[in-house]
């Protein structure tokens, strides 16, 4: 039982109760319930496939820009990625058949697995058109695109993956542009390493449209190529600057809304001569609440959605919040999604009792904001800060509460029911281990 528990007025996070699968415009929207194939291992595997495709592009560029017979490392990598691509097609067939569908999909999966670099090596090729064969590995791109798109649509693509993929694409593009420069305008009497270095330098100065003029095109083909690269550079920068300013305007809009509210609050403090200490703690709490909840406009837009869709969105909002709680930091995304469906948000006032020793435990809590004190009567045991959890022992031992827990300041907590907790720890070994580890340290 929980004493005086009050649902947070600013944002009541209803638990996800409606398992309905909604269909909108032919798209099945069931993000929170869909048993997705989005495990962390598969994500790394997909990234490895993306690296494999990029490696072929790198190898292609090197052969175009610097004629040479493939080295042992190039051949070993070619063989390795051939084997991995083959394994990938088999894996997809078994676990994610929708990724490489139909005859074309199967062909685009299998043909790129052929070890082209090895074949070209035995054919004695060093540069030129035969190496276009290496680009057959690009057949994997539609399937890669579908995998990352699927995760992105389900809000399950971590930011670092988007960043890593963008960097991979940018690096591969710079490399290819540099290699084509070497093809059109090779440097005389330079080692391959210096040539490549100079070509990369030319590419970056040309894409940046700085063009120091120390490396200049000498032939018509090279001049045409230089103009093309400059044009690409301008387009690239406009795109990046456009995206950055869009993001900045978006974040400013939200910050400004929060700042407006805090200004009103400050005026109120001045009017009623509220003591500075109290002002500080109220502002800290209020700014946390404002930044972690929706503003009125967002709340209004959300309210216009059908209830089941609203619930789905709130599940994902809960995911973002509980991912910061220590217990959930190392668990899988599937586990986070399931946990988020069973959460309810509550607000406790300073000094309010959350758990009393000896009571039956019907739930555990995740502390999203504030500090709680764990004690047995006057005997102080611990202070828990935001990001901690408590109330798990009675659930694990199936016994009564081992201690009292009292809110020190204003606290925002998420309640997870006993049945949901048992279901989650039974299904997710990583969560069970995180709970067990913490309980061990608390029992010491
Ligand atoms: P439970 O026994 O269900 O209810 C009281 C909670 O206080 C308990 O679960 C733990 O989550 C927490 N708790 C008990 N002892 C400690 C401790 N020594 N340090 C931190 N937290 C504790």
């Amino acid at each position: 039982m929980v004493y005086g528990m009050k649902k947070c007025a600013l944002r009541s996070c209803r638990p996800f109760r409606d398992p309905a699968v909604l269909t909108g415009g032919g798209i099945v929207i069931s993000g929170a319930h869909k048993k997705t194939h989005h495990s962390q291992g598969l994500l790394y595997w997909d990234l490895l496939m993306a690296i494999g495709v990029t490696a072929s592009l790198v190898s292609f560029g090197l052969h175009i820009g610097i004629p040479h017979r493939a080295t042992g490392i190039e051949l070993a990598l070619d063989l390795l990625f051939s084997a991995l691509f083959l394994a990938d097609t088999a894996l997809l067939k078994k676990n994610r058949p929708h990724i490489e569908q139909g005859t074309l999909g199967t062909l685009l999966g299998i043909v790129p697995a052929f070890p082209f670099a090895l074949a070209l090596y035995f054919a004695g090729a060093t540069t030129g058109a035969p190496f276009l064969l290496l680009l057959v590995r690009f057949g994997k791109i539609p399937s890669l695109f579908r995998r990352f798109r699927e995760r992105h649509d389900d809000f399950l693509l971590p930011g670092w993956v988007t960043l890593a993929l963008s960097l991979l694409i940018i690096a591969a593009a710079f490399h290819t542009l540099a290699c084509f420069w070497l093809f059109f305008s090779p440097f005389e009497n330079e080692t391959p390493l210096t040539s490549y270095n100079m070509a990369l330098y030319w590419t970056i100065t040309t894409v940046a449209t700085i063009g120091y003029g120390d490396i200049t095109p000498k032939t018509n083909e090279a001049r045409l190529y230089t103009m093309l690269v400059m044009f690409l550079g301008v387009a690239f920068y406009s795109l990046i600057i456009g995206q950055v300013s869009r993001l900045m305007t978006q974040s400013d809009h939200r910050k400004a809304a929060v700042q407006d509210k805090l200004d009103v609050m400050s005026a109120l403090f001045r009017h009623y001569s509220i003591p500075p200490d109290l002002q500080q703690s109220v502002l800290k709490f209020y700014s946390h609440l404002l930044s972690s909840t929706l503003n009125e406009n967002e709340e209004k837009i959300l309210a216009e959605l059908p209830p089941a869709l609203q619930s789905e969105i709130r599940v994902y909002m809960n995911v973002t919040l509980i991912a910061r709680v220590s217990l959930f930091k190392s668990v899988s995304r599937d586990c986070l999604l399931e946990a988020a469906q069973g959460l309810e948000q509550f607000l406790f006032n300073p000094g309010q009792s959350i758990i009393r020793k000896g009571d039956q435990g019907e739930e555990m809590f995740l502390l999203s904001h504030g500090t709680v004190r764990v004690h047995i009567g006057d005997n102080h045991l611990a202070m828990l800060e935001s990001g901690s959890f408590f109330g798990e022992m009675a659930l694990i031992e199936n016994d009564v509460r081992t201690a009292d827990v009292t809110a020190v300041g204003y606290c925002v907590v998420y309640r997870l029911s006993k049945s949901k907790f048992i279901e989650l720890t039974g299904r997710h070994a990583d969560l069970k281990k995180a709970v067990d580890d913490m309980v061990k340290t608390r029992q010491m």
Side-chain angles (χ1 to χ4, degrees):
M1 178 183 166
V2 180
Y3 294 87
M5 211 155 56
K6 210 192 284 170
K7 273 217 174 174
C8 184
L10 267 158
R11 173 170 158 224
S12 90
C13 280
R14 276 164 294 137
F16 188 92
R17 293 189 207 287
D18 187 353
V21 173
L22 301 172
T23 325
I27 303 165
V28 177
I29 306 158
S30 60
H33 280 271
K34 195 163 51 179
K35 204 64 208 122
T36 50
H37 323 276
H38 294 131
S39 82
Q40 199 73 353
L42 281 176
L43 178 65
Y44 291 135
W45 175 263
D46 291 344
L47 272 174
L48 190 65
M49 294 303 106
I51 292 172
V53 170
T54 316
S56 303
L57 184 67
V58 170
S59 175
F60 164 73
L62 285 178
H63 279 284
I64 294 297
I66 307 166
H68 67 286
R69 279 198 92 188
T71 61
I73 294 179
E74 282 177 273
L75 294 177
L77 281 177
D78 184 57
L79 262 180
L80 175 71
F81 282 117
S82 289
L84 291 178
F85 280 6
L86 217 53
D88 182 54
T89 298
L91 260 178
L92 290 179
K93 275 259 156 319
K94 192 161 166 265
N95 299 320
R96 297 186 283 177
H98 61 290
I99 297 282
E100 285 177 358
Q101 297 157 306
T103 321
L104 183 66
T106 312
L107 273 180
L108 287 178
I110 292 176
V111 177
F114 188 81
F116 292 103
L118 201 69
L120 289 164
Y121 176 82
F122 285 118
T126 54
T127 185
F131 281 88
L132 285 171
L133 276 176
L134 292 181
L135 297 184
V136 172
R137 290 249 155 107
F138 277 25
K140 271 277 171 198
I141 288 181
S143 115
L144 281 171
F145 182 78
R146 221 166 286 146
R147 307 168 206 208
F148 290 115
R149 178 91 243 167
E150 195 175 74
R151 271 197 192 83
H152 182 265
D153 289 348
D154 282 354
F155 305 96
L156 294 174
L157 191 64
W160 69 266
V161 176
T162 316
L163 184 70
L165 284 173
S166 310
L167 289 178
L168 202 66
I169 292 169
I170 292 173
F174 275 106
H175 165 84
T176 312
L177 290 172
C179 290
F180 270 100
W181 170 257
L182 287 176
F183 175 74
F184 287 117
S185 190
F187 298 105
E188 314 254 308
N189 309 321
E190 297 291 357
T191 62
L193 190 63
T194 312
S195 290
Y196 181 75
N197 193 2
M198 287 167 74
L200 214 50
Y201 163 80
W202 172 88
T203 308
I204 289 170
T205 51
T206 309
V207 168
T209 62
I210 293 168
Y212 289 113
D214 51 347
I215 303 175
T216 49
K218 302 275 181 316
T219 61
N220 281 340
E221 294 84 11
R223 274 182 213 106
L224 271 174
Y225 182 63
T226 305
M227 285 190 282
L228 177 77
V229 173
M230 278 183 172
F231 181 74
L232 282 179
V234 172
F236 176 68
Y237 280 107
S238 330
L239 200 78
I240 295 212
I241 290 168
Q243 286 291 338
V244 169
S245 38
R246 194 176 61 85
L247 286 177
M248 280 172 74
T249 334
Q250 271 176 2
S251 94
D252 280 356
H253 175 71
R254 218 183 144 75
K255 268 192 207 143
V258 171
Q259 193 54 52
D260 279 355
K261 292 195 176 178
L262 290 177
D263 287 348
V264 173
M265 191 73 107
S266 302
L268 185 139
F269 290 157
R270 273 197 305 277
H271 187 79
Y272 293 103
S273 309
I274 305 290
D277 279 1
L278 185 55
Q279 283 189 26
Q280 274 286 315
S281 51
V282 173
L283 281 178
K284 240 168 100 185
F285 172 72
Y286 196 59
S287 75
H288 162 81
L289 214 56
L290 288 177
S291 59
S292 62
T293 56
L294 298 177
N295 63 35
E296 282 101 356
N297 279 343
E298 292 164 334
E299 197 64 70
K300 249 189 247 160
I301 294 172
L302 209 59
E304 284 169 10
L305 296 174
L309 270 185
Q310 278 188 44
S311 304
E312 293 238 4
I313 288 181
R314 290 192 193 278
V315 166
Y316 283 100
M317 286 160 57
N318 282 350
V319 166
T320 314
L321 288 165
I322 62 168
R324 293 188 209 127
V325 175
S326 59
L327 187 62
F328 289 97
K329 275 198 175 130
S330 53
V331 303
S332 70
R333 194 75 184 169
D334 280 348
C335 174
L336 268 179
L337 268 171
E338 271 185 59
Q341 288 164 40
L343 291 179
E344 282 179 282
Q345 192 190 51
F346 293 95
L347 173 65
F348 287 93
N349 295 323
Q352 203 174 352
S353 175
I354 305 175
I355 285 178
R356 283 197 186 153
K357 185 176 181 309
D359 280 354
Q360 277 301 324
E362 295 302 333
E363 67 264 293
M364 68 166 290
F365 298 95
L366 311 174
L367 184 57
S368 162
H369 175 87
T371 307
V372 297
R373 191 163 79 91
V374 183
H375 56 108
I376 297 177
D378 290 337
N379 185 16
H380 173 83
L381 291 179
M383 288 295 233
L384 301 178
E385 302 287 340
S386 50
S388 316
F389 63 95
F390 55 91
E392 78 295 346
M393 284 186 180
L395 309 190
I396 294 169
E397 307 289 341
N398 203 14
D399 206 342
V400 293
R401 298 293 193 192
T402 58
D404 300 298
V405 181
T406 307
V408 174
Y410 288 101
C411 292
V412 180
V413 298
Y414 285 87
R415 174 188 176 276
L416 188 67
S417 71
K418 182 176 181 176
S419 54
K420 189 77 192 170
F421 173 77
I422 291 171
E423 188 190 323
L424 278 171
T425 45
R427 260 224 293 266
H428 299 278
D430 43 1
L431 179 66
K432 172 104 181 67
K433 185 175 176 313
V435 173
D436 288 348
D437 288 349
M438 183 54 84
V439 169
K440 262 182 226 148
T441 60
R442 283 180 179 174
Q443 282 172 336
M444 277 196 311

